[in-house]
Amino acid sequence: MSESQNTRALAPRRHGEILRRLAADGTVSITALADFFDVSRQTIRRDLKHLADRGQLDLVHGGATLFEPTEAAFTERREENAGAKAAIGRTAADLVRDGMVVFLDSGTTTLAVAQALIERKNLTICTTSLSIALLMCRQPLVRVHMLGGEIDPVEEAAVGIDALEAISHFRVDVAFLGGGGLSPDGEVTDFTRSGAEQRSRMAALAGKAYFVLDSSKFGRLTPLRIPRFELAAGVIVDRRPPEAICEALERKGPSLIVST
Amino acid sequence: MSESQNTRALAPRRHGEILRRLAADGTVSITALADFFDVSRQTIRRDLKHLADRGQLDLVHGGATLFEPTEAAFTERREENAGAKAAIGRTAADLVRDGMVVFLDSGTTTLAVAQALIERKNLTICTTSLSIALLMCRQPLVRVHMLGGEIDPVEEAAVGIDALEAISHFRVDVAFLGGGGLSPDGEVTDFTRSGAEQRSRMAALAGKAYFVLDSSKFGRLTPLRIPRFELAAGVIVDRRPPEAICEALERKGPSLIVST
DNA sequence: CAAATATGTTGCAAAATGTAATTATTATTT
DNA sequence: AAATAATAATTACATTTTGCAACATATTTG
């Protein structure tokens, strides 16, 4: 285009302005931002993805919103990528046979796994998630153990020292765990220290542990590495991640399972 | 493409505004919303349907109203003594002050207590009930501790040895406990051995313990006496039981509290 | 009660947005 | 200044959202 005005800004400057607008209005629109900075929408998308990977905002169709840990956030998250999560759930359920002891982590993807597991018989379910416990205890032929502890209102699940200790009492055949992101170097990462520690213990404890991650988490860089995550048997995703991630992951040990 | 006149709001922003208006006015009109956001009525209808699917509002002809669990209220009405339970809940809540640590047993009557407690601030709730934990963790200014254990599918609550042990870790100001019946000789009884034991421990542990029993339980004879039930501070009921029961109860110690 | 008006529903087309791969530009390093 | 890496733009195509129009249903009005 003709000579662009000097309004063009470097990435850090854009990021600052984006967050400022977000704080002021609650939402930002990709088109409006691209127009304002006089850059392509692609660039703005990259900016938003970058910020979202750091948990500073939530991506939505057409822009982004404040990252709000509210009740609405949980019910909304359940609908994001619903198809992908259901597919992951079915693939996960294929790894479970009647009569097994299954651990289910909190999260919307693991909730999808729980839904798929309703088909199985005589399962014993261990979980920290209130929703999963409630869902599964209403099914016939399922025993449910709820791990106690302080309830995190964002996850609607037990966290903290009590939950951590309760985990060690169980012997489980297979565990399905969530995660905050799948980093470029093939590691599953998390948002909080306690969450990472909790998942780490489960991965170590279960006969086989699988992380379930939908594709929106690919390349996302959340602050905490999940210790000893290599002990996991595999990572279940809804489609094949970028090649670099695949290679890094397989080098570390866990196999990559892509749901069909 | 030509420059877009894009001051148009993102879907989540519309959703937020719709809910805000709903909270303020009690109703919203499709025409008014379509006009305000400068989008078609279909779009607003889709928004409202989306929100209705998540239980955040009720659709009505021409718009939407605040979500009233009318269906729930109806089925509750069908359930015996819904009004009685609500009254007991209010009376129980009067015994609780902001900032207290409250234990809530499982059961429909204690759920009514939980509902009445939403008014209070800075409570810490300990419970074995999945429904109560889920309800309360969605309220602001409430901390929730879920006691873990095997889930009884009838009560939808934790029972068994884990729950029993978890109880002893807590110091609670006041406990509200359910019961299977109020026997003719003024004792609270229960259906199961483990339930009786659990309630007994809670009654012993809490600063003040109250049994909450609606009038359908008067004179009912269930198999198990709750040990040391006399340690309870009181029994809350929705109307005065037969004179014989009253006398027997007060002779044992707990006071009788009739909700108004 | 019936006509008039407003609202709900459906299928489909258009517009906007998302994604990925490739090319161009800018910055950094040597 | 040339080589290299990082960032952004462009393009092409899939997906989602929105708007439109025709018709069915409900509500209001006389």
Side-chain angles (χ1 to χ4, degrees), chain A residues 8 11 14 38-40 42-43 46 61:
Chain A
R8 201 157 228 161
R14 288 200 305 270
D38 190 23
V39 295
S40 72
Q42 224 58 355
T43 300
R46 262 192 304 272
H61 194 93

Side-chain angles (χ1 to χ4, degrees), chain A residues 67-83:
Chain A
F67 182 77
E68 277 184 298
T70 63
E71 181 202 351
F74 189 85
T75 51
E76 255 173 55
R77 254 183 298 152
R78 193 165 51 200
E79 287 156 20
E80 286 170 12
N81 262 321

Side-chain angles (χ1 to χ4, degrees), chain A residues 22-46:
Chain A
L22 199 58
D25 303 344
T27 66
V28 290
S29 133
I30 286 183
T31 304
L33 288 169
D35 198 41
F36 177 77
F37 290 118
D38 190 23
V39 295
S40 72
R41 283 197 268 272
Q42 224 58 355
T43 300
I44 297 298
R45 276 198 202 96
R46 262 192 304 272

Side-chain angles (χ1 to χ4, degrees), chain B residues 104-122:
Chain B
L104 290 172
D105 192 14
S106 64
T108 52
T109 313
T110 47
L111 182 59
V113 176
Q115 237 131 15
L117 284 176
I118 291 175
E119 309 289 318
R120 295 279 173 282
K121 310 289 180 203
N122 288 312

Side-chain angles (χ1 to χ4, degrees), chain A residues 145 169, chain B residues 148-150 158-167 194 198 201:
Chain A
H145 279 271
H169 294 170
Chain B
E150 187 161 2
V159 298
I161 185 164
D162 290 323
L164 217 54
E165 198 201 288
I167 289 172
S194 58
Q198 202 164 307
R201 294 219 189 171

Side-chain angles (χ1 to χ4, degrees), chain B residues 109-181:
Chain B
T109 313
T110 47
L111 182 59
V113 176
Q115 237 131 15
L117 284 176
I118 291 175
E119 309 289 318
R120 295 279 173 282
K121 310 289 180 203
N122 288 312
L123 295 183
T124 300
I125 302 290
C126 303
T127 185
T128 57
S129 158
L130 292 174
S131 304
I132 291 177
L134 207 50
L135 170 71
M136 297 310 279
C137 83
R138 288 174 177 172
Q139 309 307 324
L141 299 176
V142 175
R143 266 184 305 282
V144 177
H145 278 270
M146 175 78 203
L147 304 189
E150 187 161 2
I151 299 298
D152 175 345
V154 178
E155 296 283 330
E156 301 189 341
V159 298
I161 185 164
D162 290 323
L164 217 54
E165 198 201 288
I167 289 172
S168 59
H169 293 168
F170 289 93
R171 183 205 60 76
V172 303
D173 294 309
V174 55
F176 295 102
L177 308 170

Side-chain angles (χ1 to χ4, degrees), chain A residues 105 128 158-160 163-164 167 194-202:
Chain A
D105 192 13
T128 57
V159 298
L164 216 54
I167 290 170
S194 57
E197 183 60 30
Q198 201 164 307
R199 295 190 170 99
S200 170
R201 296 221 189 170
M202 289 160 189

